[in-house]
Amino acid sequence: MSEAVRTILRSDSAVAGEPGRGADAGFLWDFWYPAVRSSLIRGNKLVTAMLLEVPLVLGRTSEGRAFAMRDSCPHRGIPLSYGHFDGQTVECSYHGWRFDACTARCVEIPSLSSQDKLKVDRIFAGHYPCEERDGYVWVYMNAAGTRLPETVPAAPALPVFSKKYKITHLDCELPSHVDQGIIGLMDPAHGPFVHQSWFWRSKHSIHEKQKQFEPIPYGFRMSPHSPSSNSAPYQLLKRITGEGVTTTIDFVLPNMRLEEIHSGKMWFSSRATVTPVRRDLCRIDFVAAWNLPFLPVFLFRMFGKTFLRQDQETMIKQAEGLKHDPKLMLIDDADRPAKWYFALKANLLESRRTGAAMAHPMTGPVTLRWRS
């Protein structure tokens, strides 16, 4: 393990106990993050969210366009979410300063007299690009004091493979730094222990596995493969379609795990993001879509909630141990994806610092072996 990876692992593992750390807290800026579900923003309602320790206020204009502003009036700092929104401008509840919702530019300061020379339109409350995808309002988070790129990329979209499909959303909070949430998300060996269930797998089903991984931009891919023989749902799908089943799993910076399952014309697609809220709190936002006629939404949600609850309970227990700043270790091959994540993150930060091209920790396809 490189010294850069050791540093990230050690510092971020103990981050909850280090309130004096830098403001970035190991976060990755200049990326899209899901802030809230789109369904929460209705009419002239203002909704609050926290991303990367930045308080946000979100809403929807009378034309239906979602917006995100920093939830702080630049005058005296009172949260703008306590104010009034008329469909176009957000009015501060303290002194009535009004800000255009889509640009955060100040449009009125009621207390100014005709003698004042202050240029109101040069005052901004803080604006973040905002897009809606797959039932989420995504916010592009750039660090304070930095400029947005000339062209902001589109927010991530969940891959779908037919016009008609079912879709559902789940979420839960994890009391840990985003790094611990992410390496837990991509960990291939915890399934038989954390997710023991009659419908999934047990300790007795553990056996050796071999998977090929390959580099992709800003991440890595578990190449298309036949899913585990000890996972009952995959075997059921194979029997129903009468065709083989293939699974592909991607991890992409800053925080996304995408999985595709295909069997004939049947498909299942999911995305899990580990969203950094504070340095000691993150949130799993999970969305899944499928065209499997035999899988009703209520049944999938029941199983999905069980999985997330198991992960959440494990992370709560882990957080108890991390309070004491223990020395941690990563092993091969089961922990290689975690090592790649830390190296990708460190290399991206170094690339942004120097302006050089980002180095990828993988030079080509790699075969990993582990038991689970």
Side-chain angles (χ1 to χ4, degrees):
M1 194 186 327
S2 71
E3 189 58 38
V5 175
R6 286 195 185 91
T7 300
I8 293 177
L9 180 61
R10 290 271 305 138
S11 62
D12 285 347
S13 298
V15 73
E18 299 180 16
R21 288 193 69 217
D24 68 336
F27 299 144
L28 285 178
W29 301 89
D30 299 313
F31 283 105
W32 289 98
Y33 292 94
V36 296
R37 288 286 308 281
S38 293
S39 58
L40 295 177
I41 304 178
R42 299 184 298 272
N44 290 346
K45 179 182 179 182
L46 293 174
V47 175
T48 60
M50 180 81 72
L51 289 180
L52 287 72
E53 300 191 337
V54 176
L56 301 174
V57 58
L58 301 99
R60 194 184 304 281
T61 66
S62 54
E63 292 78 27
R65 180 182 175 186
F67 65 88
M69 299 168 58
R70 189 179 183 93
D71 193 16
S72 177
C73 180
H75 181 211
R76 298 285 182 85
I78 190 171
L80 290 170
S81 53
Y82 288 127
H84 174 71
F85 177 53
D86 64 4
Q88 298 296 326
T89 60
V90 177
E91 181 181 279
C92 178
S93 63
Y94 198 178
H95 295 91
W97 288 29
R98 292 196 303 120
F99 301 87
D100 177 75
C102 292
T103 63
R105 184 190 297 272
C106 187
V107 296
E108 181 185 2
I109 299 179
S111 61
L112 291 181
S113 71
S114 59
Q115 304 300 313
D116 287 301
K117 305 297 184 183
L118 181 64
K119 295 185 182 298
V120 172
D121 61 357
R122 293 186 179 180
I123 300 172
F124 289 84
H127 162 260
Y128 295 88
C130 197
E131 289 186 14
E132 294 188 74
R133 292 280 191 281
D134 310 319
Y136 294 101
V137 178
W138 292 76
V139 178
Y140 188 86
M141 299 297 295
N142 62 303
T146 65
R147 290 182 176 273
L148 287 169
E150 291 185 7
T151 302
V152 175
L158 179 70
V160 295
F161 304 95
S162 61
K163 291 183 178 180
K164 294 184 178 180
Y165 55 86
K166 301 180 179 77
I167 189 168
T168 192
H169 307 77
L170 295 167
D171 64 82
C172 73
E173 291 187 339
L174 306 177
S176 65
H177 187 270
V178 65
D179 284 344
Q180 291 296 339
I182 287 174
I183 65 174
L185 184 73
M186 66 177 66
D187 174 26
H190 74 277
F193 302 93
V194 174
H195 298 301
Q196 292 183 47
S197 304
W198 64 266
F199 59 85
W200 192 244
R201 60 185 64 164
S202 70
K203 288 182 181 179
H204 304 295
S205 69
I206 293 177
H207 62 279
E208 186 163 320
K209 298 179 180 179
Q210 175 178 307
K211 308 292 184 186
Q212 180 168 298
F213 291 77
E214 56 190 280
I216 59 175
Y218 293 99
F220 51 86
R221 169 174 295 156
M222 184 186 291
S223 306
H225 61 279
S226 297
S228 301
S229 60
N230 59 342
S231 297
Y234 295 132
Q235 302 311 311
L236 175 62
L237 177 60
K238 184 177 181 179
R239 286 199 294 269
I240 290 174
T241 64
E243 301 191 42
V245 180
T246 61
T247 300
T248 305
I249 300 174
D250 290 355
F251 172 79
V252 183
L253 288 178
N255 61 346
M256 290 191 297
R257 179 190 186 274
L258 299 116
E259 182 169 1
E260 293 179 17
I261 302 170
H262 295 268
S263 182
K265 294 182 179 180
M266 301 297 170
W267 59 269
F268 178 94
S269 177
S270 69
R271 180 189 62 226
T273 56
V274 184
T275 303
V277 179
R278 303 190 308 262
R279 62 194 68 199
D280 61 348
L281 179 68
C282 60
R283 185 183 71 244
I284 294 181
D285 289 299
F286 178 84
V287 58
W290 64 91
N291 73 341
L292 311 175
F294 51 85
L295 181 58
V297 171
F298 83 88
L299 186 61
F300 177 82
R301 288 182 62 83
M302 181 177 69
F303 292 147
K305 287 180 179 179
T306 298
F307 267 68
L308 286 184
R309 184 170 63 250
Q310 291 167 338
D311 283 325
Q312 184 182 46
E313 290 171 352
T314 298
M315 298 301 287
I316 290 172
K317 294 173 183 175
Q318 184 190 36
E320 182 180 340
L322 292 179
K323 290 179 182 178
H324 307 289
D325 193 14
K327 292 183 178 180
L328 306 179
M329 61 185 296
L330 296 175
I331 63 172
D332 279 340
D333 279 356
D335 286 336
R336 189 80 66 86
K339 293 183 179 182
W340 287 334
Y341 162 67
F342 284 120
L344 282 164
K345 182 176 178 180
N347 292 353
L348 174 62
L349 293 173
E350 180 66 10
S351 171
R352 289 179 173 178
R353 186 185 69 83
T354 63
M358 176 182 165
H360 201 292
M362 301 175 66
T363 57
V366 176
T367 298
L368 301 184
R369 297 173 177 83
W370 67 88
R371 286 173 52 81
S372 69

